[in-house]
Each structure stands twice: as C-alpha cells, then as structure tokens.
Amino acid sequence: MSLSPRDKPRDNPLDHSGPDDSVILHTTDNGVSWITLNRPEVMNAIAPEQRECLISELLRASGDPGVRAVVITATGAAFCAGADLRATPSSAMDPAVPGVSAASVASGRLPGDVARTIRRGAQRLIAAVLDCEKPVIAAVNGTAAGLGAHLALACDLVLAAESATFVEVFVRRGLVADGGGAYLLPRLVGPQRAKELMFFGDALTAAEAERMGLVNRVVAGAGLAATARSWAERLATGPTRALALTKQLVNSSLDSDRTAAFAAEAAAQEINMTTEDAQEGVNSFLEHRSPVYRGR
C-alpha cells in the first residue's frame, strides 16, 4: 500500500520547510506518529478545524497497531499560542424563537453556549491526549500559551527547546483558564504554584519550567528533533499495552483513594499478563536475552 503525502516519513519530522496549506501535518515513521501544528503565521493558534484534526489523529493513533508512540510539535517559532480567538461559532440565532433576548442575538451567544463550546472543544482536545492509548511526547519548539501550554502539559513527556516559554495567558485576557488547566497544573506543581501561574500569567522560561517539574528535559534548539525522535522510537519498541495501562494508572491515581488505586493496579496487571509482550518480557529474562516487544 502506498503512503499518502500526509503519511510519508521525513528525515526530520520537525523540519517542514516549503509550502504546505494543511493545518496539521502528519507522518508515521518507525512506529511513531508525528503530529505537527502548521499555522505558523498565527503562532499555531488552534482554530476549530485544527483542533478536530488533532483529536482525529490522536484517536487514530490509539487504535492503530502500527503506531506505538506519538509526538506533538509545531512549525515556525511558536509551539501554540492557544485557542484562535478570531474563530467564532458559525451557528445562527433566530430572534423570533421564544426566550431568545435581543441582547443574546446581538452578542451572538445564548446561555450555555460558552460551556458547551468548552466541553466540545478545548476539553475534548486535552482529553484526547490524556486518553490516548499510546505514550505522547510534546516537543515544544517555542511559545506555548493558554490552551497551547495545556496541550503540551497534558502529554506524558515534555521536551522543550531552550527558547520555549510557557504562559498561563488567560488572566491577561480577563478569562478563566480552560482546557483542563485547573486540573493539570495542581497535579504537576501543587495548588500554590498553580495559582501563582494562573493569577499572574507570567511567562516561564524552559529552564524555569523544568525546575518546577513541568518539563522533563530542556534541549538546545537544534537537538529538539533528535531527542524527540530518540525518546519516541525508544517508546515505540517498548511493551505498548503495558505502557498504556501504566499511563492509565498514573493519570487516575490522584483522583483515587488507595483502595481504588490498588484495585486498578491489580486489574491492569491481570489484563497485561494476557499480552504477548508480557510473555516475551518474562521469557527473555529467563533466557538471559534482550526482549523484543511487538506491541501485542
């Protein structure tokens, strides 16, 4: 089967020189799905079309046995400046409908519209990252602000170029943080630090983010692609189902008491021991050789 242009591997998936009008670039190479935001002219601010493409690719990665790790990165100087506030819902409003006030029609918004938009939009995107059954790496090549920061921080591992910054920009716009920020940040840095970031909206350098525990490793800009590839390909040769179950256990652990967490752990072990990779891991130990995992 031939590969479509969107699936052809590249020597450097973070280097997308040349014109391309796709809002998301995608390649699959050595078991790694590379998902690249591609609206550099607006600092990769996420419009609805781009968000839906991201969600679709993450869902596809979860169910594709040929994909065993995912990398999310971006073209240009920024990783993601957040949601594109210039993109507005297209749904029309009829002032003749009973209960629709003139003010609501004039503003183009009805009670409940904002909450619905957040649930169907930013929250679905972050959930798609958290729920992806493959390990997801963020390769943050530049500014990650607002929803863009949360997209990166929802990933299982975060690599950042030295030039990257992380900004809880919502307060600067008079907005409440969305996209799971109030869920993610306290779990990563504790409630006081999370409030400091969200209340002031100050930009964190990559080095500061690493010291706070938001970033796994800061990499010189030229080495970001190579490090992302090395980590992703290492994950792609691992026991895929064991990694998926481990991810699920860790992500749910802070919402569980000890009894529930221990029960989930035992259930995950029960499930994983039915996989070929678990048998290979045990057999390779007994046979004094390196395991060869196949993601099954």
Side-chain angles (χ1 to χ4, degrees), residues 48-80:
E49 178 190 3
Q50 195 174 27
R51 181 193 68 228
E52 294 306 310
C53 287
L54 272 168
I55 293 171
S56 177
E57 291 296 353
L58 287 162
L59 289 173
R60 172 181 164 183
S62 276
D64 185 349
V67 172
R68 297 173 65 186
V70 178
V71 177
I72 299 176
T73 189
T75 59
F79 176 74
C80 176

Side-chain angles (χ1 to χ4, degrees), residues 81-189:
D84 190 344
L85 297 181
R86 295 166 300 183
T88 56
S90 59
S91 57
M93 310 188 78
D94 185 355
V97 175
V100 177
S101 69
S104 295
V105 174
S107 68
R109 182 183 302 147
L110 288 172
D113 279 352
V114 173
R116 191 178 308 107
T117 297
I118 295 299
R119 288 195 302 269
R120 294 178 177 177
Q123 290 179 354
R124 278 181 60 242
L125 173 58
I126 299 305
V129 179
L130 293 171
D131 295 339
C132 182
E133 296 178 31
K134 310 298 166 62
V136 183
I137 297 173
V140 183
N141 53 299
T143 298
L147 179 59
H150 299 165
L151 174 62
L153 299 177
C155 294
D156 303 303
L157 300 169
V158 183
L159 298 171
E162 291 175 332
S163 60
T165 57
F166 297 81
V167 192
E168 286 296 312
V169 75
F170 300 94
V171 70
R172 299 187 188 181
R173 309 287 182 261
L175 301 174
V176 173
D178 62 31
Y183 174 86
L184 293 167
L185 282 168
R187 286 162 169 76
L188 293 169
V189 298

Side-chain angles (χ1 to χ4, degrees), residues 192-216:
Q192 276 72 32
R193 282 287 196 179
K195 291 171 189 173
E196 178 185 347
L197 295 174
M198 290 179 164
F199 287 0
F200 293 113
D202 294 333
L204 286 178
T205 66
E208 290 169 334
E210 183 182 31
R211 283 194 294 271
M212 291 179 67
L214 294 172
V215 168
N216 292 89

